[in-house]
Amino acid sequence: ERTGVFKYLSSLQALSVFIVMFSIMSIALPNFLSVINMSNLSKQLAISLIMGIVMTMVIVSGEIDLSIGSVICLCGIVSGAVIKQTETIFLGVLASIAAGTLIGLLNGVLITFGKMPSFIVTLGSMMMARSIAFVVSDGRVLSFPGEYRVIGQGDIIGIPNLLLIVIIAYIFAYIVMRSTRFGHYIYSIGSNKTAAVLSGIDADRIRLSTMTISGLVAGICGVLLTSRVMAIQADAARGLEFEVIAGVIIGGTSLKG
């Protein structure tokens, strides 16, 4: 019983630190709790929060994805290039999602069928995606048409679209991880891959799926990022992967799966 209490108290450490820091900022800065500031904070943190969901899935399954920052950047640049060429926002959004999904699938194939460590694979794809981003953008800043801003800067009844997307994503992820076979399989593989395989779980398929989902969501975040700032360059989202991984670990997820 005492062990359970200690585990519960330990899980509250990160939340306690957050509450203390939030309280200090609220006292030190009178405008910190203003509606405008809270709205801006939610928009700025949205990408990290969304990627934190899939990074949790990836880490729980026993893998890691270091490429998300570079993939988000590349997808945003692909979106901008396609929109510039076709003058169609919808095609740009699709191109971003497709590019992210393709990179995630490639990572998954190399990890599962190539039997390569996810650390090495995603480190390589991180550098590859960043290099391609520089080539595609020619080192310049790509801008987007005014209509594009509605995705990342719009709101519904005063609530920012990005915040609504974050809330929906977390609810959906909670249901998937808690109430579906796919979520249970992710936990099983991360806990004991050998036992999971012996019990009939296709571990390679689940790992391939989680890496592909990571790429797909990175493609979506590429759209969300560019529609918020209305521009993209090859240096965007640099280091985002470490911010996301740190947040996931501080939140209580074990790097050991």
Side-chain angles (χ1 to χ4, degrees):
E1 185 177 349
R2 290 180 61 186
T3 302
V5 172
F6 286 136
K7 286 184 178 180
Y8 177 73
L9 292 176
S10 177
S11 67
L12 292 178
Q13 287 180 352
L15 179 60
S16 300
V17 172
F18 171 78
I19 292 175
V20 170
M21 293 180 65
F22 195 87
S23 300
I24 292 173
M25 294 298 294
S26 302
I27 296 171
L29 301 172
N31 295 326
F32 182 75
L33 289 176
S34 66
V35 174
I36 294 177
N37 189 54
M38 289 295 102
S39 176
N40 289 334
L41 279 176
S42 67
K43 292 176 183 178
Q44 292 171 7
L45 294 174
I47 305 300
S48 297
L49 292 172
I50 294 171
M51 288 310 306
I53 296 173
V54 290
M55 185 61 74
T56 299
M57 295 172 62
V58 170
I59 292 178
V60 167
S61 71
E63 308 297 340
I64 198 165
D65 190 349
L66 299 177
S67 67
I68 58 172
S70 297
V71 173
I72 289 173
C73 174
L74 175 59
C75 291
I77 287 176
V78 167
S79 176
V82 170
I83 291 175
K84 183 178 180 181
Q85 291 294 324
T86 65
E87 298 184 352
T88 306
I89 293 176
F90 180 69
L91 291 179
V93 171
L94 285 182
S96 177
I97 297 174
T101 304
L102 182 61
I103 296 174
L105 178 62
L106 176 61
N107 286 340
V109 168
L110 291 175
I111 292 167
T112 56
F113 298 106
K115 306 302 179 183
M116 299 173 64
S118 56
F119 181 90
I120 300 300
V121 171
T122 58
L123 181 63
S125 59
M126 175 181 72
M127 294 186 286
M128 178 193 71
R130 187 70 64 178
S131 299
I132 296 175
F134 272 103
V135 172
V136 174
S137 66
D138 197 25
R140 293 181 243 181
V141 176
L142 299 180
S143 57
F144 292 80
E147 301 85 357
Y148 193 64
R149 73 177 66 247
V150 68
I151 303 173
Q153 298 183 25
D155 62 80
I156 298 176
I157 60 174
I159 303 175
N161 289 343
L162 290 180
L163 179 57
L164 290 174
I165 292 172
V166 169
I167 293 172
I168 293 171
Y170 270 83
I171 293 173
F172 180 75
Y174 179 83
I175 294 173
V176 169
M177 295 299 288
R178 291 291 182 180
S179 305
T180 68
R181 287 185 180 180
F182 180 70
H184 295 162
Y185 288 168
I186 290 176
Y187 282 116
S188 298
I189 293 169
S191 177
N192 191 324
K193 181 184 174 183
T194 302
V197 172
L198 291 175
S199 66
I201 297 174
D202 189 343
D204 286 342
R205 181 175 63 85
I206 299 300
R207 291 159 63 218
L208 175 63
S209 298
T210 56
M211 296 306 298
T212 304
I213 291 172
S214 180
L216 183 150
V217 175
I220 294 174
C221 285
V223 174
L224 299 180
L225 175 64
T226 50
S227 64
R228 181 175 69 84
V229 299
M230 292 300 289
I232 189 73
Q233 58 183 8
D235 200 42
R238 186 179 292 276
L240 178 68
E241 56 276 358
F242 302 112
E243 175 185 323
V244 171
I245 293 171
V248 169
I249 295 172
I250 292 172
T253 302
S254 173
L255 270 176
K256 297 179 181 180

